[in-house]
Every structure is written in C-alpha cells, then in structure tokens.
Amino acid sequence: MTENIVREHLDDRDIAILRALQQDARLTTKQLAQKVHLSPTPTYERIKRLERDGYIKRYITILDAEKLHKGFVVYCCVKLTPLNTQTARKFCETIMQIDQVTECYNISGKFDYMMRIHCPDMKYYQQFLLNTLGTLPMLGTLESTFVMEEVKHNFGVAI
C-alpha cells in the first residue's frame, strides 16, 4: 500500500535514481544518467527535485567504526521520570549534544527512548554511563544491550 502511494509521486526513473544514489552517492550526474537511461540534464533536474521535495535528505560518508576504535555498540533504553512534555524535550535537547549517541528513538513499551551508542570498549561505556548519562536528572531506569556481532546493517530504505 505504501509503495503505491510513493509510486503516485515518483515514476520508475525517480525510483531508479534513488536506488542508485542509495548504493553510491558519489556517482556523477553523467554516470547516474547512464544507469537510469536518461541524459545528464533531466537526471540533474530530477535529483534537484528529489532533494527539494525531501526524498533525499542528505549525502553522507559511512565510516568504519572498528577502524576508528568506536566499534563497541550499545543499545541503551531509558525511562524518563517524570514523563511529561518538558522532561522529554529537555532529554532530546541533551541527547542531540552527545556525540557518542548516534541514533535515538522515542519508543513504545517498557522504555521511553532507545539510543545507539558507539564506544571504544566496555570500560569507556561504563565511564560514559556514570559521567554523562548518569548525570541526567530526568533519567529513571536504564537498560543496556551490547552488540556482539553485526549481522545486517543497511543504511538505505527498501524501495
């Protein structure tokens, strides 16, 4: 059903452009045009429209966390206390400033938020927990889950 909604706004060439850029954002307009069977000018115009319409949010480089000694990944779930709009806003503002937190989601269930945290090792995470997260006044309950092996990690969206 969602695919039909997307297809109403995007044609097959738009989808092909998005798929190609999702695989390799460094493609030149000329290379991309060849892949989607268009000339460079219409390809460029489509890319600009996709950016303007918000289908393409930004272009990034994916780094190797292991090589950068940040390969210890922790999923940390927190419950705020008290849970209200002001506390949630303050928590989100604070988390946005913490570089080690690479993702944060407001979730349903037992916890209020789930964060993905990159660290060099367990000892670093322990200090981070005590000296950074542990100092947040709105933090009620916290549960950490440590990633032992990354089995699958796609950065894109299936389209």
Side-chain angles (χ1 to χ4, degrees):
M1 184 164 165
T2 307
E3 189 171 324
N4 292 336
I5 294 169
V6 170
R7 295 260 184 210
E8 289 175 18
H9 302 297
L10 301 175
D11 64 20
D12 290 341
R13 294 261 168 83
D14 291 333
I15 298 292
I17 288 169
L18 293 173
R19 284 181 178 148
L21 286 175
Q22 197 166 236
Q23 290 300 310
D24 185 358
R26 293 184 66 191
L27 290 172
T28 65
T29 302
K30 184 177 178 182
Q31 291 169 324
L32 184 57
Q34 289 173 340
K35 283 185 174 286
V36 300
H37 309 292
L38 281 174
S39 62
T41 300
T43 301
Y44 177 80
E45 290 169 356
R46 283 174 180 259
I47 293 168
K48 289 302 166 196
R49 178 178 46 79
L50 291 166
E51 291 170 348
R52 184 181 63 248
D53 291 350
Y55 289 99
I56 299 172
K57 289 186 172 189
R58 64 184 174 154
Y59 299 90
I60 63 168
T61 299
I62 300 168
L63 305 177
D64 186 323
E66 285 290 331
K67 288 186 183 218
L68 295 167
H69 306 290
K70 304 286 177 138
F72 186 74
V73 178
V74 181
Y75 283 93
C76 179
C77 294
V78 298
K79 185 158 192 60
L80 303 183
T81 184
L83 180 59
N84 57 44
T85 303
Q86 183 179 2
T87 303
R89 185 179 317 116
K90 182 63 178 163
F91 175 78
C92 292
E93 288 170 359
T94 303
I95 291 303
M96 294 296 288
Q97 303 305 312
I98 302 173
D99 291 337
Q100 294 89 338
V101 178
T102 58
E103 298 174 46
C104 183
Y105 304 95
N106 182 215
I107 60 173
S108 65
K110 182 178 170 183
F111 293 98
D112 301 317
Y113 290 89
M114 179 175 67
M115 299 174 285
R116 180 180 170 115
I117 300 167
H118 281 262
C119 302
D121 54 35
M122 177 70 84
K123 188 71 172 169
Y124 182 97
Y125 180 69
Q126 180 186 28
Q127 292 305 308
F128 173 77
L129 195 58
L130 294 172
N131 299 319
T132 304
L133 290 182
T135 65
L136 301 179
M138 72 286 289
L139 195 68
T141 307
L142 179 142
E143 182 177 294
S144 301
T145 302
F146 307 102
V147 174
M148 296 188 308
E149 177 185 16
E150 185 175 279
V151 176
K152 180 178 181 180
H153 187 161
N154 283 345
F155 292 94
V157 176
I159 54 171

